[in-house]
């Protein structure tokens, strides 16, 4: 169904699969996408992952491919969905580079991933009568003047700055999905995602948690931008995926986007100190100039999520970081540079040598 052919009346409902829903996940090989695909499969659904592997990883999907309810399709989201794919009950749109080094590598392409990706998802959803989930971002708020940020805040975004390709691309995609789904009678769920971390993050994705952890494990200087007083709110990936599932399953119309994130605010210098402590690293903390348009404060108002979904994060930052450090230590262990045993793991293993598992020498 072409863009100009979208129906003004609701799309017809398609027969549902009695043995689980048929679900498409664009960007399903990425950090969040793989965790989502895993959760959907665990609930008995049939999942088709579409990804061009620009930032996603086949390795993340190795265990999922072995199941008979998972299909991997190498596909760019800016192209029409292959006609050979089955009808879908749900389409989850997670396809977009989400870290500054990745989305700034080709800013024009990032903008069109947001724009054309939204169009392709809407075209297929209108054909199938599928419910749509769109993964938006807290970056739509820009460098906010209101704190914490509620969904009603329109944002403070620089449309010509170095982050504009992602910020404005995501803002545009929200508008496309809002108007397109209303016109086609498609059920829409949109999440504005605040900083999320956990296992399967790309070690070189440029996000602050992966940066700090990898630098600490390698014994390198930990780079803090500015004076370290800027804040972020860190949500562990398991909590975020639980929020995703609750939002998509919501029977009533949430009437617009829903913030999903951790309302606990953390300074960057405090995060660096905690990572050094948990890794047992001797890394120095060094200062660099603050990047242009880098938000000074970021914390979600999750009142809407609490009211509609009975959801809020449950994994404390220290616990989530311990799990994330253990994941990254496995990759760092394969590198030729000297490797540190994370402090919290070393303390737990003082009575015996590390002879097995991810951190074995």
């Amino acid at each position: 169904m072409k863009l100009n052919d979208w129906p003004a009346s609701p799309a017809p409902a398609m027969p549902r699969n009695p043995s689980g829903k048929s679900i498409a996940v664009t960007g399903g090989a990425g950090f969040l996408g793989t965790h989502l695909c895993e959760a959907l499969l665990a609930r008995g659904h049939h999942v088709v992952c579409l990804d061009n592997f620009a930032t996603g990883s086949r390795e993340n999907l190795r265990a999922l491919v072995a199941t008979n309810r998972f299909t991997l399709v190498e596909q760019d989201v800016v192209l029409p969905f292959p006609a050979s794919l089955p009808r879908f009950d749900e389409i989850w749109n997670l396809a977009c580079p989400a870290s500054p080094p990745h989305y700034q590598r080709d800013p024009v392409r990032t903008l069109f991933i947001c724009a054309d990706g939204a169009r392709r998802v809407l075209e297929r959803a209108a054909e199938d009568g599928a419910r749509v989930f769109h993964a938006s971002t807290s970056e739509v708020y820009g460098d906010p003047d209101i704190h914490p940020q509620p969904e009603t805040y329109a944002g403070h975004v620089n449309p010509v700055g170095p982050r504009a390709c992602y910020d404005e691309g995501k803002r545009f995609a929200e508008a496309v999905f809002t108007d397109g789904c209303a016109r086609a009678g498609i059920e829409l769920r949109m999440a504005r995602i605040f900083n999320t971390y956990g296992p399967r993050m790309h070690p070189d994705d440029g996000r602050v948690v992966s940066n700090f952890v990898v630098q600490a494990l390698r014994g390198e200087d930990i780079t803090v931008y500015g004076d370290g007083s800027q804040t972020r709110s860190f949500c562990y990936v398991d909590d975020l995926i639980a929020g995703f599932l609750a939002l998509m399953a919501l029977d009533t119309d949430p009437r617009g986007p829903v913030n999903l994130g951790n309302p606990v605010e953390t300074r960057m210098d405090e995060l660096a100190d905690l990572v050094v402590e948990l890794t047992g690293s001797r890394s120095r903390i060094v200062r660099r100039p603050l990047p242009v348009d880098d938000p000074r404060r970021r914390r979600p108002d999750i009142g809407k999520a609490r009211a509609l979904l009975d959801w809020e994060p449950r994994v404390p930052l220290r616990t989530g970081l311990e799990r994330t450090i253990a994941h990254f230590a496995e990759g760092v262990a394969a590198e030729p540079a000297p490797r540190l045993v994370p402090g919290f793991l070393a303390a737990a293993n003082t009575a015996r040598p590390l002879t097995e598992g991810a951190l074995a020498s």
Side-chain angles (χ1 to χ4, degrees), residues 320-341:
L321 283 175
E322 289 176 350
R323 297 173 187 174
T324 305
I325 290 166
H327 165 78
F328 275 115
E330 182 177 359
V332 174
E335 298 177 354
R339 176 178 57 86
L340 295 167
V341 176

Side-chain angles (χ1 to χ4, degrees), residues 281-312:
S281 176
R282 296 185 181 88
S283 294
R284 298 181 309 143
I285 296 175
V286 299
R287 311 285 181 175
R288 295 288 183 268
L290 195 65
V292 176
D293 293 336
D294 192 63
R296 296 158 296 172
R297 300 186 73 184
R298 184 64 60 75
R299 177 162 67 94
D301 180 334
I302 62 168
K304 187 174 181 180
R306 285 189 175 115
L308 290 178
L309 312 177
D310 191 26
W311 174 89
E312 60 183 315

Side-chain angles (χ1 to χ4, degrees), residues 9 85 111 173 200 316:
S9 58
L85 295 179
L111 284 160
R200 301 180 197 162

Side-chain angles (χ1 to χ4, degrees), residues 227-232 234 265-272:
D227 63 3
S229 65
Q230 66 272 32
T231 67
R232 296 294 183 270
F234 298 103
E265 199 171 356
T266 302
R267 288 171 53 115
M268 295 301 93
D269 51 6
E270 293 172 347
L271 178 68

